[in-house]
Amino acid sequence: MKNSNHRSSTGRQRLTAAVALSAVLALTATACGDDGSGAGGDKGADGSGTGKIVFWDNNGGVRTDVWKEIIADFEKANPDIDVEYVGIASTEYQSKVDTAIQGGGLPDVGGVGAAMLAGFAAQGALEPLEKRLAGSSLNGKLNDDMLESLKAAGDSDSLYSVPTSANNGVLYYRTDLFEKAGLDEPTTWDAFYKAAEELTDAGRNEFGYTIRGGAGSIAQALDAMYGQSGITSFWDSSGEKTTVNDPKNVEALEKYAVLFKKVTPAADLNNDFTKMVAQWDSGTIGMLNHNLGSYQDHVKAFGADKFRGIPQPSGADGKRVQVSNPVDGLGMFKSSKNKDAAWKFIEFAAGHESNSKFNQSAGQVPANLDAAKDPWVSEAEPTKLAAEALSDGSTTIVQLPYYLPDWNTISKADNEPNFQKVLLGKMSAEEFCDTLADQLNEAQAEWNEQKG
């Protein structure tokens, strides 16, 4: 039985109102002669192509070192441009940008991934980049699927972010533990569930799997749901109703959620990705779902010979379904007063050498086609396998509706607590899926109405 979530609906209405209000405030500030402090809606200027620009890294701390290397290379090649680096933790980035959109202080360039693109674009904060790209050295040199993913995230023909990488979901597993137990590698969902159970000995603090119950849990849960159900579209044929609460997805979630505390540590209930990865790296847990970004952490923890990172398990029919492979990129904020210099930095960072350097450090799939052919991609097995899975026709990607301005609120604030209730047995998988579906259908209807 469906459970309508009135409180969540009200929250989305507040978010929509906030977006609309910020747009009005920005337009008002522009009309009144804004002082150029970098608020959303400011038109900015091309500038001289020299001088200072500010870059906000959306994964500060984790990627600070490699970005500082790329910036040093850029400044050496462009001595008349200075780049001020500001590293912001991924968990704080969106709120910091939203605050700057309304109050001023936006940078010239910032990390703009698929998941947050729609919210920034809806507030008029991002500069369209398709014309600059068409006239640049990057034209024809970037992965078409990643470009399309970023366009789809904004649900428009405009390109608001130049792709730098795809950070695919990966199933990491301990080869030494699997060999000791005589288990087949978890390339299918049946093998995954069998291994999760057989590798668990809670009395000895040994577990078959670690499940993400804290921040960021919804995308991982959706990946498990669609991966098992084999449903290949997030919306039905009408484009108005989500498939999230399809009975096959509900059944898949039921099977996945009961793993908690049965074959996973109890601490998983509140684990975000950093705690989950650290727990896997320091313990005797058989399997971990994360993305390519944690590969180097696992190499440091185990060495390259005690684990593998493989694409998500396939169904009984041999087909693999995954939710959107997260595409990250670099966007230019419309308020920049030095857009020509900002574009030079984006073009340099997405070029062959810099893009290869960044993705080798991150262990992710390069967006630059020449970088994707560099030797290190073949040497980093999870990246190689992920890149092949995206290009060899073995994997169907279910595109998440990143274009919905309410997507992050629905998938985080509204439903991460509900997913924890499912893990604890306080909410059924059906109720969770129906609640999520109601919210998504309402958000889609609002979006279609605004577009129409």
Side-chain angles (χ1 to χ4, degrees), residues 19 22 94 98 101 114-126 153 402-406 408:
V19 170
S22 66
Q94 181 165 348
D98 283 337
I101 288 173
M116 62 185 74
L117 187 153
F120 298 163
Q123 297 177 77
L126 296 174
Y402 292 132
Y403 59 85
L404 293 175
D406 296 338
N408 276 343

Side-chain angles (χ1 to χ4, degrees), residues 4 18 37 80 94 105 117 120 141 160 175 177-178 185 192 209 224 265 275 296 313 342 345 347 366 371 414:
S4 178
S37 60
D80 53 356
Q94 181 165 348
L117 187 153
F120 298 163
K141 293 291 187 179
Y160 290 111
T175 52
L177 300 181
F178 271 70
E185 69 174 353
F192 165 82
Y209 184 58
K275 293 175 183 175
Q296 295 296 341
F345 177 67
E347 186 178 25
D414 286 357

Side-chain angles (χ1 to χ4, degrees), residues 154-205:
D155 198 33
S156 73
D157 292 329
S158 292
L159 181 71
Y160 290 111
S161 181
V162 172
T164 54
S165 58
N167 197 9
N168 280 46
V170 174
L171 179 62
Y172 293 105
Y173 74 97
R174 290 281 300 275
T175 52
D176 54 342
L177 300 181
F178 271 70
E179 289 169 7
K180 183 179 178 181
L183 292 165
D184 294 332
E185 69 174 353
T187 56
T188 66
W189 283 102
D190 286 344
F192 165 82
Y193 280 108
K194 179 181 178 182
E197 187 169 341
E198 293 196 16
L199 290 173
T200 297
D201 185 341
R204 299 176 62 180
N205 202 36

Side-chain angles (χ1 to χ4, degrees), residues 140-400:
K141 293 291 187 179
L142 299 176
N143 184 293
D144 284 338
D145 288 338
M146 295 189 200
L147 284 166
E148 287 306 312
S149 288
L150 288 176
K151 286 183 180 179
D155 198 33
S156 73
D157 292 329
S158 292
L159 181 71
Y160 290 111
S161 181
V162 172
T164 54
S165 58
N167 197 9
N168 280 46
V170 174
L171 179 62
Y172 293 105
Y173 74 97
R174 290 281 300 275
T175 52
D176 54 342
L177 300 181
F178 271 70
E179 289 169 7
K180 183 179 178 181
L183 292 165
D184 294 332
E185 69 174 353
T187 56
T188 66
W189 283 102
D190 286 344
F192 165 82
Y193 280 108
K194 179 181 178 182
E197 187 169 341
E198 293 196 16
L199 290 173
T200 297
D201 185 341
R204 299 176 62 180
N205 202 36
E206 297 174 356
F207 298 95
Y209 184 58
T210 174
I211 197 168
R212 188 167 178 173
S217 61
I218 301 304
Q220 182 171 306
L222 290 172
D223 216 7
M225 290 161 59
Y226 281 89
Q228 293 175 82
S229 71
I231 295 170
T232 56
S233 176
F234 197 79
W235 302 101
D236 67 10
S237 57
S238 72
E240 297 176 355
K241 302 294 182 183
T242 182
T243 56
V244 159
N245 60 338
D246 183 285
K248 292 181 180 178
N249 275 333
V250 173
E251 182 183 357
L253 181 59
E254 287 173 344
K255 189 173 183 180
Y256 183 70
V258 296
L259 294 176
F260 176 64
K261 286 182 73 174
K262 180 182 176 184
V263 299
T264 79
D268 284 357
L269 182 69
N270 296 304
N271 277 357
D272 59 12
F273 84 88
T274 53
K275 293 175 183 175
M276 183 179 66
V277 168
Q279 178 179 258
W280 195 70
D281 286 345
S282 64
T284 53
I285 300 173
M287 295 177 290
L288 162 76
N289 272 120
H290 194 234
N291 54 48
L292 292 165
S294 60
Y295 172 67
Q296 295 296 341
D297 294 324
H298 310 323
V299 172
K300 291 175 184 175
F302 304 121
D305 60 339
K306 290 186 179 179
F307 78 98
R308 288 190 75 195
I310 62 175
Q312 295 285 58
S314 60
D317 58 2
K319 296 179 180 179
R320 182 185 301 108
V321 177
Q322 290 187 237
V323 299
S324 310
N325 51 307
V327 177
D328 206 1
L330 295 172
M332 182 191 302
F333 288 96
K334 191 179 292 185
S335 59
S336 170
K337 301 299 190 289
N338 204 353
K339 292 177 183 175
D340 285 348
W343 175 253
K344 288 180 184 177
F345 177 67
I346 292 174
E347 186 178 25
F348 184 90
H352 179 178
E353 184 177 344
S354 297
N355 193 240
S356 186
K357 179 179 288 189
F358 175 83
N359 283 288
Q360 184 173 13
S361 172
Q364 297 172 179
V365 180
N368 187 288
L369 297 176
D370 293 327
K373 297 174 185 175
D374 285 347
W376 70 264
V377 176
S378 295
E379 294 165 4
E381 186 189 39
T383 304
K384 175 187 176 184
L385 294 176
E388 289 175 352
L390 286 178
S391 60
D392 65 7
S394 66
T395 304
T396 300
I397 299 295
V398 175
Q399 293 290 348
L400 296 179

Side-chain angles (χ1 to χ4, degrees), residues 29 33-40 42 56 100-107 335-337:
D34 185 67
D35 64 1
S37 60
D42 295 353
W56 283 8
I101 288 173
Q102 296 185 45
L106 282 167
S335 59
S336 170
K337 301 299 190 289

